[in-house]
Structure formats: structure tokens, C-alpha cells
Amino acid sequence: MDKYNKFLAENVLTEDKVVTYRLLSRALQVHVNTAKQMLYDFHRSQNAKRPGAVHATYLVFGTKKDDDGPPAARNGGDVDVEMTSSAPEAEQPTTVVPTSTLSLVPEEQLEETLANYEEVTSIHVYSIGPHPTKDLALLVDAANEALSLDSSDYQKSLGPINNPRVRRRERQGPGLKAAAAATTAVNAPAKSAFPKTALAPASGKVKEEPKPAQSVQETAEKASSGPTRKAAPPSKRGAGSGIMQAFSKAATKQGQVKKAAESSQPAAPSGEESMQPLSDDGEDDEELPQPKPRSISGTKSKKQREEELRRMMEEEDEEDQASEEAETPLEEEPMEEDLPAPEPAKEQETEVVTSSSNGRRRGKRRVVRKKQIMDEQGYLVTIQEPGWESFSEDEPPPTTKPKTTSSAPAAQAGKPKKGGQKGGQGSIMSFFSKK
Amino acid sequence: MVTLDELADTSLLQKPSAEGFGLLERTASNYKSLDTFSLPKDRQYQQQFADIYFLRLTKIKPAVEEVASAAWEGTILGGETATKVDRVLDVRQGQLCWVAGTVYMDMPLKPSVLEDVSKDRWISAPTTVGHYYSENGGESIMLEDDSGRIRLVGAILKDYFLVTGCIIAVMGTENVNGEFEVIDLKFADLPPQPERWSLSKPSAADGASKKPKLKGEDVEMADVPAASRPSKKIALVSGLEFSGTDTSYAMELNLLLEFLLGEALDPSAQSELTHISRLIIAGNSIAKPSHDDATTTAAEKKPHKKYGYDSSSYNPLPSQLLDTFLSTLLPTLPITLLPGELDPANTSYPQQPIHPAMFPRSRSYTAAPVTAPEEAQQQQQQQKQPGWLDNVTNPWEGEVEGWRVLGTGGQNLDDICKYIDSDDRLGMMEAMCRWRCCAPTAPDTLWAYPFQEDEPFVMRECPHLYFVGCQPEFGTKVIEGPQGQMVRLILVPSFAATREIVLVDTETLDVSKVKITA
């Protein structure tokens, strides 16, 4: 019994706090009604020692004189009823609605409030505080404090009204904790999926195949065998370290993958250098097989884009290159999480090798092109459209890089070279800033 | 007049005694939610709205014609017998006849799509006008059906509430100006009313039938007799308007919570409160965002980086407060939550349930989400087991304690008020029932989903209790229909404005209210 005196003395007198019955009930784990009595007792005993030491607010419930019966109708509460015109047969005497009023009053106004009541069915101390309560809205904080102490089993033990029928549904999906675990778990597959998509076309493309049909089949095979081997190490490491892995991966993957690929597949090294950027920033690949229109559109869009982007993305330009590289995997990850499986499969089949002779293989591959057009309202709209791009590149066995081959069409050779030098994860921004 | 002395020995104004307080138990709520107004998940918005009018007319016209022919069949005026005319266009000049059709109000301030198109405005803004009628008149009332349209004139039109979309029958003659002089007019009047407990069973029988299904609840079935105590109540509240900025009624909201929880008050009052078996929140649980604070102007200067979305301008507090409110209350009280005009749901009628993702703490009380393949089988289960927190549509139809209940978040009535220069909201509610349409002004001025197959706003069955939320003040009355139907109409006041909640007795449908002042 003394516990509450101590608690209240500490909180109200020493710490200058307002304590509501709900807070007291939760803090001391007593029934709310007991807490109300405790507050009353403390208030009385303290004020007996020293008048005005603590101030209470009361919660009064009952029927008020003003709000009850005919006066309410006169005040306009229910007058509307009398004006019915559309259905005279339903005319009823004005319904008098019994109204109960719940008021929270500081002790200073308690007497005058009570005087307005016809009948009080319930009254108790709501809170006590060290100062007279001027603004009842300030009690909100005190009231909310009680809620923060709330626990799920509170209702059962201390809340006055219990409802045994309460139903909660069971979580069907993974819960919050499970979801958190899932995201870390997903990180790993996502990472392993990422190099897969980047490298899948690479390993396939550089393969020399005499017939298109066969090549498709074979590239698919190669691609699926290549990346899985390569992807294995990153996924293992990725499982351990969460999102940071994504950042380091971009850098480490290259060397590591190169090593692995070199030993296992002769095609991989050159493929990685030439193809990986292409598959990433496909915006400079074009769908027309003829070099001429391609180069025209290329230069035009190059100029345009440079200008527009400088205007539009000034802030992004300011960001340093390093962060760009780090950003890329981050941005792509969510997408990968959604469809890790179908994506690589799609990319594997996007190439048709038409001819392969004296060290060059030519063909078309499927790329996603970004096109920027100005719409009717003068807005620049970037649209992505899939298209076919012709390519011609080195045979895999000679390990010379594409840029060294002079026979390649200028534009064709130039582009992969740029990408290749830049590094594995060429983001779209680094493409523009280079030029 | 109560003085302090009289209360001196009230139980809670004394020293804490050793004896504890018993636990009280909340009465069971017998409840069934109907999905009359739920829309398909893959809804299209390509359709035309005309079908709504057509469907409504075909549904209500037979009833109107029945009423009209009962009243007017064989009526002889000036030596001429009134004859029924099937289509509006078949009305002949000078011939005494009666015809049924849809009312269309042409009003000076009413937003008009034709005007929008002619002025090349392609995005229709929400209307800002307080009302559509103009003080200087200039409005015309037409009657239309699928054949055509005729202008109605006559003094009698002034005696009735008329809005676009309601179905009426008029008797009269066409005059030389091509206008129809109305002598008398009729509505469909109240639809047939189902018996009480037509969809669910009273708790005793219900408990028995449920028993095999819910094994875990056997324990509580022991107290079924307690559920048959005379006066259960449901609490109706609307316009809680949890706000991130306006705290002027935060204390009242707190008191409301304590009141409904039963933590406030003394043991005898608390045992009264256990009879409140359900809370229905009729719209506007979240306040209108305030645009005038400094944070928004500051945010405008900042460049929008991601899709123009600036997270700093979003204030999550209102929905958090609502979530806390709900999750505190839910362990002891089941809640039905209707969206309202201000709530985070779709704007057009019928508003679909507020998504449970809005309530991270309360959502475990909602019904389990239904995935497409198991929809059919789950629907059956769901009807037996609505969510403990039942987030429903607006308008919403259901059966509570056997009574058929129809409730809305208030937009339907608010829109009707814009047509009629009157404050008689209860009268308009009554008119809606007599028109057999709970949202007649949809889709003309009340935005609505373009229904194709069904027109759910038509009242097929007469509710026992019809409430409209978010109203400026409280009001209630009982109306009666020609076949002895009785409907309790309630205007649920906005809590933020009036600090009032409504309690409905589930045996007598008597209404009382509780006012909270702080």
C-alpha cells in the first residue's frame, strides 16, 4: 500500500509530473479502479499535510441538466425532425435522446461543474499533478505516457473489461522477424543473380558458332554453366555480410570472376570486358543493322543527351564516380530480388550469330535501347524499347581486346572499348560523364 | 444539481481497500458483414456511366409504377382519365397521363462535364462550391428515361426533395411549352424489410451452431446466457479526425478511448459499458492534412529527387494515432471501420476498405487477406468470420444483432444537401430511403465507380438502422413504411466538431448519446 505513496511522491512532488490513473495502474500493475482510489488517497493525504500541494482533475459522468430532455430540442439538437415534408405519415414526436456527459474537470471547477449535473453516476480522480491544471490538453502527454507502458497482457490482468472472443489472425506470410531474416537471405541470391545476368550474355556472345540455331542453343548452355560457377563464390560470401557485400562485390567480382573464368573458359576474359558494359548500359546500342543510320542517330542522341542531362541531373553529376559504382548494385538489387530466375534465362537467348569468319563473328543481339523523345507538351520522355543490334567482334580464342582490332567498324569497336575501360558496373551516369 | 457532499462516499473517492475489483466481460457482438458494395479487385474505369442510370431505372421503376398505378389508376380529372405512358417521349400534349423516370436537376452552380469539355478542362477538380442551387433560381427539373427527357413544372415539386438520380412517377399533362405540368408525384417508398435475424441467428442458437467449427471457443460458449441480457449497445462514432497538427480535441479522444475501454468511471458504470458490444467508426478517422504549415513551403524549395515525392512533407502521425487508438481498443472491443471523405481510401463511391497496411499494429485483427485462387472458398468462411477489426466499404451493409444496418461515411448526404436549400438532413435521409437509393446523386455529382452489371446503391431491402456519419450535428428519428417497415435514422455527428458519440440499443434500437468534454 505504501508503494503508491512512494511512487506518487517521487513522480508528482519530486519530478513535477502529472500522473493519471492509467499510468499509475500500469506502473504499479494494479487494477485501474484501485489506481483511482490511490490517487484520491494521495491527493487527500498530501493536501491534509499541506493544502495546495497537489492538484487533481476529476472525471465526472452523468446526465447534465442542460443537455437533457426538452431543452436539447429547443437548442436545436433534434429540431430537424419536425420539418419533414416528404412523408407526413412518418411524422413522429421529436425523439428525446438521453445524453450522458463525460467531463474532465480540474478540482477548482469541480463544484460548479457538478452543479450543472442532474445526476452523477460516476466520479473519480483522473490525474494529480503538482500544479493546477489550466489547460486540460496538456494532460494528453500524461495520458499518452500510459499507453507507452501498455503491453498486450495488460488488458487481461488489469483492464476492467475483458473480451475472450477477441480474434487475431495468424500471419500467413513471414512475420516481421521472418521478413527481416528473409531480406538478408535474399541478399545473397540477389547478388549471385546479379553477376549472372551481367555475365550470361558475355560468355555466350564471344563464342564462335557456325550456325545461328546451334549457337543459340550452345550459348544458352554455356551461359548457364558459366555463371553458376562464377556466381557461387560471391553468393557464399554474400550470405554472411549483409548489404555491404553489395558494394564490395562490384569491385571484387571482376577480378575474381576473371580468374575463375580464365581457367575454366577461354571465352570469358574478353567477353567480360567487351560485353558486360553493353548489357548494362544498352542505350548506345541500336537496333539497325546498317552502320550508317546507326551512327547518325548515335551522334545526334549523344549531343542531345549530353545537353539535356547536364541540365536535368546536375546534382547527380556532382556525385563522385565511386559512389556511382557503389550505387549501381544497390539499385538493381530490388529488381533482381523480384525475378532472379527468369531474367538470366531471357538474356541468354537474345543473340543470334549469323556468320563467323576469319576471326570475326557477326550477328545480332537483342538489346534494350533507351530513346529520348520530346512529347507534345515539350517534356522529354525517355522510353526503353527492345531492339536488335548488330555486332561483330573478335573470336574468343585470340585474347586480344576488341579495341585493338582495326577491322571493326569504328562505332562498334569504340563503344565496347569505352565501356570496358570503365569497369564492370558501368552505370548509365558514368557513360554520360565520360563523354 | 449535484454537490460534492453527496458524492463523498462514492466508491472511488476513498482509500484503496484490500479487496480487488472483479474482471468484467464484454458482451458478444453478433455481427455479419455483407459485401454489397465491394468492388472487384481488377476494376476498369473505361465504361460509361449511363449504365448506372439505366440499371437504377430498371430496378426501381417497377416499384414506382406499382405505387403510382395504385394511386392514380382510373383517376379522372376534368373529365379525362389518367393513362399510363411507358416512355417519357410518348407523353402527348394535353393528355392527362403519368410516367416514371429519373430526375435530372439542371442547376446553375452544378459542375457540368459538358462545360468542362467545352472549356477544354480535362482534369476535373473536386467541386469547391458549397451548394449547387442558386439563390436566384434558374434551376430546372427534368424527368428522363432511356428515350428522352421532359421538363417538369408545377408547384408540387417544391414540396418534395428532388435530386438528380432519384426515380419518381409524375402525373399531369404536357402544356403548350412542351413542359410537363405535374399534378402529383410518387416515390417507390421503402423497400421490403427483412425480418430480424434473417441472415444470422440470435446468440444462443448461434453459439450452438458455431460450436463445431470453433473448437477453441468452447470455453466462452458457457456464458451464452450472459449474451442474452436485455440491452446490448453498439457505439457509433465518426469524424475522429486524428490529426498531426490539431491537438485541440486530443484529450477528448483519449477520454473516448478510456470510456470505450471501460477504464474510466466506477465499477457500476463500467459494468454498463460492457454492454457496448461493437464500435462502428463511420468515416473521417484521419484529419484533413493542413497545408498552411511552414514545413510544406520549405519542402517546396527542395528539389524533388525521387519521382517528385518528398518524404519530408508526409506526416505519418495521424495514421499512427489512429492505429494506436484501434490497437488499444481492439483487445476488448470489435470495431467496424468505414472509410470517409478524408480517409486514405479511394475517393469515388463506393469507397473500398482502408487497407490494413495503414495499421501496422492493428492489422493482425483484420480478416486474413484473400488471395485470388482461394477467394471462392474463403468468402464463405469470411462471411462467418469477419475480421475483429472489420475494415469495410462505404456505404456498408451488414447485420448487427440481427438488425439490417446500412451506413455511410456521409458523402451521399452531404452531396444531396448541395441540391436542396434546407438543413433537414434527417428528411433527406428519409427521402433516400423512400427513393430506394442510398446515393442518388452518384454518378452525377458524387463520384462513383462506373458500374456495369449491378447498381448497388439501390436499396433492395429496407434496413432497420440507417446511419450517416460525419454530420454537423446529431439527429435521429424513426420512419415507417407502407408495409409496416420501421427504420431508425441516425445522423452521426463528427466527433472532432461535437465530441459526441451515439449509442444504439440493439433490442429497441433506441438511441442515446455521450458527450465528452475536457
Side-chain angles (χ1 to χ4, degrees), chain A residues 81-98:
Chain A
V81 183
E82 292 151 21
M83 300 169 52
T84 329
S85 49
S86 63
E89 81 269 25
E91 199 68 60
Q92 283 228 333
T94 309
T95 327
V96 174
V97 175

Side-chain angles (χ1 to χ4, degrees), chain A residues 21-22 26 33 36-37 41 84 87 98 100 102 104 117 122 124 126 160 162-163 165 167-169, chain B residues 1 11 15 24 26 220 258 262-263 265-266 270 332 364-366 386 430 434 477 513 515 517-518:
Chain A
Y21 71 92
R22 302 181 77 205
R26 283 156 175 79
N33 289 349
K36 291 168 195 166
Q37 291 177 333
D41 186 51
T84 329
S100 316
L102 183 71
L104 182 64
Y117 270 84
S122 170
H124 65 82
Y126 183 82
N162 198 10
N163 200 331
R165 290 164 207 85
R167 287 193 314 270
R168 302 180 78 130
R169 74 165 198 244
Chain B
M1 176 72 84
S11 67
K15 265 178 85 90
L24 300 168
R26 173 102 45 201
E220 76 201 48
E258 291 165 33
E263 289 194 12
L265 310 184
D266 66 7
Q270 281 164 354
T332 156
S364 60
Y365 294 96
T366 57
E430 177 180 348
R434 300 201 184 274
K477 79 170 179 183
K513 59 178 181 171
K515 190 172 175 63
T517 56

Side-chain angles (χ1 to χ4, degrees), chain B residues 155-400:
Chain B
I156 192 171
L157 296 174
K158 299 241 180 324
D159 299 343
Y160 291 91
F161 290 140
L162 288 175
V163 299
T164 295
C166 60
I167 313 289
I168 60 168
V170 289
M171 183 178 66
T173 50
E174 188 181 328
N175 65 14
V176 281
N177 300 326
E179 295 162 335
F180 194 88
E181 301 243 16
V182 181
I183 300 165
D184 197 4
L185 101 117
K186 289 283 175 207
F187 303 120
D189 221 315
L190 302 186
Q193 194 167 35
E195 292 286 303
R196 195 184 171 186
W197 302 113
S198 63
L199 294 176
S200 49
K201 286 175 186 141
S203 38
D206 197 31
S209 68
K210 258 187 193 168
K211 215 165 188 171
K213 284 203 179 359
L214 312 163
K215 282 173 193 148
E217 290 186 41
D218 277 7
V219 189
E220 76 201 48
M221 290 312 164
D223 56 42
V224 159
S228 61
R229 275 178 297 192
S231 61
K232 265 193 235 178
K233 286 190 164 67
I234 40 176
L236 291 173
V237 66
S238 72
L240 295 174
E241 298 195 21
F242 284 97
S243 164
T245 46
D246 184 5
T247 55
S248 61
Y249 46 88
M251 196 59 221
E252 280 88 347
L253 285 170
N254 255 312
L255 290 175
L256 172 68
L257 177 64
E258 291 165 33
F259 176 78
L260 292 171
L261 274 177
E263 289 194 12
L265 310 184
D266 66 7
S268 66
Q270 281 164 354
S271 68
E272 282 291 307
L273 295 180
T274 59
H275 298 316
I276 299 176
S277 62
R278 174 165 292 273
L279 172 68
I280 299 178
I281 301 176
N284 286 6
S285 307
I286 286 175
K288 202 185 282 184
S290 57
H291 291 294
D292 51 316
D293 43 12
T295 53
T296 43
T297 50
E300 267 159 37
K301 284 176 206 154
K302 274 200 258 168
H304 297 297
K305 286 189 95 174
K306 299 269 181 201
Y307 316 116
Y309 171 73
D310 185 11
S311 58
S312 66
S313 66
Y314 172 65
N315 187 354
L317 197 57
S319 59
Q320 275 170 11
L321 289 172
L322 174 63
D323 186 26
T324 312
F325 180 86
L326 294 177
S327 64
T328 314
L329 210 44
L330 279 167
T332 156
L333 189 65
I335 296 175
T336 301
L337 178 65
L338 274 76
E341 195 189 356
L342 306 176
D343 284 319
N346 57 334
T347 332
S348 60
Y349 247 42
Q351 284 186 298
Q352 295 304 292
I354 301 177
H355 198 277
M358 293 299 297
F359 319 115
R361 295 175 62 184
S362 316
R363 70 171 166 211
S364 60
Y365 294 96
T366 57
V370 183
T371 48
E374 36 184 334
E375 192 150 13
Q377 68 172 77
Q378 279 244 341
Q379 225 150 35
Q380 295 242 307
Q381 273 182 6
Q382 237 187 347
Q383 293 199 338
K384 282 188 186 85
Q385 288 279 79
W388 190 253
L389 166 63
D390 197 17
N391 38 348
V392 297
T393 55
N394 165 28
W396 165 76
E397 199 178 20
E399 196 172 86
V400 182

Side-chain angles (χ1 to χ4, degrees), chain B residues 37-176:
Chain B
F37 297 99
S38 52
L39 295 175
K41 286 267 189 295
D42 55 338
R43 40 189 185 269
Q44 299 282 316
Y45 287 88
Q46 310 295 321
Q47 313 91 315
Q48 295 291 315
F49 288 96
D51 299 273
I52 298 185
Y53 290 115
F54 176 73
L55 287 164
R56 190 181 295 166
L57 188 63
T58 43
K59 278 182 168 187
I60 303 180
K61 199 176 176 182
V64 178
E65 287 182 335
E66 199 180 308
V67 172
S69 61
W72 298 329
E73 196 72 70
T75 306
I76 300 172
L77 274 178
E80 200 179 350
T81 313
T83 51
K84 183 190 166 188
V85 171
D86 280 327
R87 302 190 311 157
V88 165
L89 275 196
D90 293 342
V91 174
R92 296 279 163 263
Q93 217 171 75
Q95 178 194 15
L96 183 68
C97 62
W98 56 272
V99 65
T102 311
V103 172
Y104 176 78
M105 307 284 282
D106 195 16
M107 306 185 114
L109 302 179
K110 205 173 83 165
S112 155
V113 68
L114 293 176
E115 199 176 301
D116 284 349
V117 170
S118 64
K119 289 185 179 163
D120 217 14
R121 288 190 298 238
W122 291 103
I123 301 165
S124 52
T127 47
T128 46
V129 288
H131 52 81
Y132 306 136
Y133 59 84
S134 156
E135 274 78 6
N136 351 325
E139 64 205 49
S140 54
I141 303 169
M142 326 258 203
L143 188 75
E144 65 174 22
D145 63 9
D146 39 356
S147 70
R149 191 182 263 194
I150 191 166
R151 183 193 296 261
L152 301 181
V153 290
I156 192 171
L157 296 174
K158 299 241 180 324
D159 299 343
Y160 291 91
F161 290 140
L162 288 175
V163 299
T164 295
C166 60
I167 313 289
I168 60 168
V170 289
M171 183 178 66
T173 50
E174 188 181 328
N175 65 14
V176 281

Side-chain angles (χ1 to χ4, degrees), chain A residues 418-433:
Chain A
K418 265 178 218 154
Q421 285 167 339
K422 216 190 305 159
Q425 301 299 321
S427 83
I428 193 167
M429 283 318 301
S430 54
F431 167 75
F432 292 117
S433 56

